[in-house]
Amino acid sequence: EVQLVESGGGLVQAGGSLRLSCAASGFTFDDYAIGWFRQAPGKEREGVSSISSSDGYTYYADSVKGRFTISKDNAKNTVYLQMNSLKPEDTAVYYCAAAFQTPVVVTSADYWGQGTQVTVSS
């Protein structure tokens, strides 16, 4: 019943842009903080960006500040991650996750999507 489905990944050249979408269903979207995480081969999963369930507070990892923008549409139960000025080091599988009324980090997430591949070539 609970689903988080990522889409929008693909292959782009360095400097290009992608917009990822995370469509949620099966839970009360407005009660959950939603975050984007990524995992590159041989690396641990890391937080990229998140948006709170209440006031729209946003978080960005230092590595993506100024390049990525997170947003959400509560009416559509969807969170977006606009990624600009992509770098090869952004290459990873990107996952969205949801945490109930708490900051969403790897250890607090209640639900995870299947992930979408982002590959940035140089």
Side-chain angles (χ1 to χ4, degrees):
E1 183 177 351
V2 173
Q3 279 192 293
L4 290 170
V5 181
E6 302 94 335
S7 62
L11 281 70
V12 296
Q13 292 186 339
S17 298
L18 286 172
R19 189 177 79 155
L20 306 184
S21 297
C22 173
S25 62
F27 62 94
T28 305
F29 183 77
D30 295 352
D31 288 337
Y32 287 75
I34 308 294
W36 287 97
F37 300 79
R38 66 187 182 188
Q39 189 165 23
K43 302 291 184 65
E44 294 185 351
R45 192 168 298 187
E46 64 176 350
V48 176
S49 183
S50 62
I51 187 164
S52 73
S53 61
S54 55
D55 59 1
Y57 173 85
T58 56
Y59 159 83
Y60 298 95
D62 288 343
S63 59
V64 306
K65 285 181 179 177
R67 300 189 297 120
F68 291 10
T69 303
I70 191 169
S71 62
K72 66 176 179 178
D73 186 338
N74 288 339
K76 296 181 178 180
N77 288 359
T78 300
V79 172
Y80 306 95
L81 185 68
Q82 179 67 46
M83 305 187 295
N84 298 325
S85 301
L86 284 162
K87 304 175 180 179
E89 52 262 46
D90 295 318
T91 295
V93 176
Y94 283 69
Y95 301 88
C96 64
F100 179 67
Q101 297 184 348
T102 193
V104 56
V105 295
V106 172
T107 54
S108 73
D110 297 299
Y111 309 118
W112 289 91
Q114 292 289 99
T116 186
Q117 177 71 47
V118 171
T119 302
V120 184
S121 65
S122 59

